[in-house]
Amino acid sequence: MTRILRNRLLYISIVLIIGLTGFVVKNSYYLQVLTFIGINTLLALGLNMLMGYAGQISLGHAAFYGIGAYTTGILSVTYNLSPWLSLPCAIFLSVLVAFIVGVPTLKLSGYYLGMGTLGFGMIAFIVFREWDDMTGGASGFVGIPSLNIGPLSFASEQNYFYLVWSVVLMIIIMCQRIIDSRMGRALRSIHDSENAAKAVGINTMNLKLQIFIFSAAVSALAGFLYAHFVSFISPGSFDFLMSVRMVTMVVIGGMASIWGALLGASLLTLLPEWLHAFSDFEMVVYGLIMMVVMILLPQGLTRGILDFCENARERYAGTDHFKD
Amino acid sequence: MQEFLQYLFSGMTNGAIYAVIAVGFSMLYNSTDLINFAHGEFVMLGALGLVTLWKTAGLPLPAAFILTVMGVAGAGLLFERLAIRTVSKPHPIVLVIITVGASIFLRGIAMLVWGKDSHSVPPFSQHNPIDIMGAKLLAQSVWIFCIVLSVVILLWFFYQKSLTGKAMQATAISKRAAWLTGIPAEKMVLLAFIMSTGMGAVAGIIIAPVTMCSYDMGTMLGLKGFCAAMLGGIGSLWGALIGGFLLGILEALGVGFFSSAIKDAIAFVLLLLILYFRPGGIIKSTDASRF
C-alpha cells in the first residue's frame, strides 16, 4: 500500500514538474534540449529494463531507434500515410525484428551477447546507409511532417515538449508496474543468477525475449518522436556510437533504477551542449568524463550519490552518538 | 581468373591487417578477459605516428617503425595503469564503457594533434607491382605479408619457448594459480597490454601506405579486427590469423562479385553466423564457457 501511495505521489510530482517547466521555459532552445532529454530518457528507460533488471547487455539498440525513425519517415513521406497510423507500423516492425534477432541472440550471454547485438546494430546501420531508394542513403531523409491531433498542432516546441514528456511519464508508469509485478521479480532473479531462476521454474528464455521486445518497442517509440521532431534523419544518428551512448546513459545514471535512466539521459544530453564551449576539446573531455565516472562510481551516479548521503548520515549519526 | 586473383590479393592484404588487429584483441582477452574497444584507436595512433615520424620528421623507416611501436605501447601502458587498474569493481560492462570512453578520448587527442584532414604515406619501397597471371600484386602487399608472418612467428616462439611467454600463458589460464606459483600475474597483465597495443601500432604502420590516415580511421578497423578474432576463436593466435585472412578475402570477393555497398556488412553477418553456430570460433571446439 505504502509503495503504491509513494509511486502515486511521485507520478503527481513529475506531472507538476513537467507542467511547470513547460509553462515557465519559453526559450525555444531550452525547450528543444528538454525535448531531446525526454527522447533520450525513453531510450534509457527501455534499455534499462533489459540491462538493469534482466542483466542482458545490448550494444545494438540504436538499430531499433533507427527502425522507428525510418519506418515512420518512409511511411509518412513516401507513402503519404498519417503519422498516427505509421506509429503502430513502426512499433510492429521493431517488435518483429526484435523477435527474429532475439531468439538466437539471447541464447548467448555476457560478452558474446554484447557482440551479437553489436553485429546486428552494425548491419541495421549499413542497411539505413546503403538502401538509397528507401532511406535516402548517407545524405539522409528529409521533410518528415510534424504531428497534429485535429486542430491541436505539435509544431511548436512547447507542445512537442508536453507530448514527449507525457509519453515519458506513461512509459515510467509502465516500467514501474512491470518491475513491481511478478514479471519484475522474475527478471531480477535472472539478473542475479539465470540458473537459479531456471531451477525455480522461470522460463528465462521467454522472459528475456519479452523484455528485449519491450525495450525494442520503447526505442522505436523514441525513434518515432525523434523523427517527427527534427524532421530530418540520417544514418549517423543510429550508428554504433549511438548504441554505446544509450548503454552509457543507463550505466552512468545507475542500472536497475528508473531515476538513474532519467539522470543518465539528462546528463548525456546536456554534456555535449555544455562542452560546445570547449569546441575542439569536446571529444577529449567527453571521453575523460565517461572514464572518470566509471572509475570512481562503477555503480553509476544515482547509487554513488545515495551511498555518499548514507555515509554522510552515518558519520553524522556517529558523531552524535559519540557526543552523547 | 585474373579478376579472381586480383580480388584475392587485395583481400589477403586487408586480411593480413585484420589478422594483426585480431591478434592484439586475442592476446589481451587471453590474459585479462577484457575486450578493449579502444584497440582500433591504437591502430590509428600507429598510422598517424608513422606519418609524423617518417614523412614529416624524416627519420629512416626502421627507426620510425620502432619508435612508433614503442610510443603506442607506452600509451597502452599508461592506459592500463591510469584507467583499467584503478577501477574498484571491475564489472565487464564498466570495463567496456571505460574502454569506449578511452577510444573517444584518444580520437579527440588525435584530432587535436593531427587535425581533421587525412594524411597519406608513400609505400615502404618503390618496386613495381609483381605480375602473377595478369593480376598485380603491390610491393606494399608483399611487405605486409612478410611483416605479419614474422610477427606471428615471433609471437609463437615467445609463447612456446620463452619463460616469460609461458608465464603469460599460465596467467591467461588462471591468474590465481599463476600467482600462487610465483608468477607476477599483475606484471603479466601489464605486459599483455603493452604487447597488444604495440601489435595495434604495427597494424597501423603497415596499413598507412595503402589507406588514408585520419583520426577516425580506428573505429571500423577495430570492429573488423574484433570480428576476425571472433571468427577464428578469440584467444587463439592461429585462429586470429585464419579469421583475419578469411574475413579479408570474403570481403574482397563480396565487393568484387556483388557490390561495394555490402563491404562492411560482410564482417558483421559473419560475426552473427559464427556466434549462432560455433561460438568458440572456427578452430576451437564449440566451448564458450570462458565468457
Side-chain angles (χ1 to χ4, degrees), chain B residues 137-268:
Chain B
L137 183 64
L138 293 176
Q140 182 64 27
S141 298
V142 180
W143 274 109
I144 290 175
F145 297 143
C146 293
I147 292 172
V148 170
L149 278 183
S150 40
V151 161
V152 173
I153 289 170
L154 272 177
L155 265 182
W156 186 75
F157 270 106
F158 169 75
Y159 276 128
Q160 298 298 319
K161 303 291 172 201
S162 81
L163 197 60
T164 321
K166 285 178 184 167
M168 256 179 97
Q169 273 191 315
T171 317
I173 294 164
S174 165
K175 217 167 163 181
R176 200 177 156 77
W179 182 75
L180 284 172
T181 56
I183 295 168
E186 299 282 284
K187 267 195 191 134
M188 290 301 139
V189 169
L190 188 62
L191 188 64
F193 253 95
I194 294 172
M195 284 171 67
S196 155
T197 48
M199 206 61 68
V202 171
I205 291 169
I206 57 179
I207 201 179
V210 292
T211 180
M212 297 301 274
C213 313
S214 64
Y215 75 100
D216 57 357
M217 67 188 280
T219 316
M220 210 41 164
L221 280 173
L223 289 176
K224 295 272 185 70
F226 178 77
C227 290
M230 291 299 276
L231 217 55
I234 193 156
S236 142
L237 193 62
W238 300 113
L241 203 63
I242 294 170
F245 275 105
L246 190 68
L247 176 59
I249 291 169
L250 285 176
E251 235 180 48
L253 294 181
V255 170
F257 292 117
F258 296 102
S259 101
S260 63
I262 61 164
K263 179 176 185 252
D264 293 335
I266 290 172
F268 300 103

Side-chain angles (χ1 to χ4, degrees), chain A residues 105 111-112 115-116 130 244 284, chain B residues 100 226 230 272 275-276 279 291:
Chain A
T105 316
Y111 277 123
Y112 271 123
M115 295 320 135
E130 300 296 340
V244 168
V284 179
Chain B
V100 169
F226 178 77
M230 291 299 276
L272 288 185
L275 279 175
Y276 296 157
F291 269 92

Side-chain angles (χ1 to χ4, degrees), chain B residues 274-287:
Chain B
I274 202 87
L275 279 175
Y276 296 157
F277 297 112
R278 212 176 153 78
I282 294 170
I283 69 160
K284 270 190 175 175
S285 62
T286 47
D287 154 53

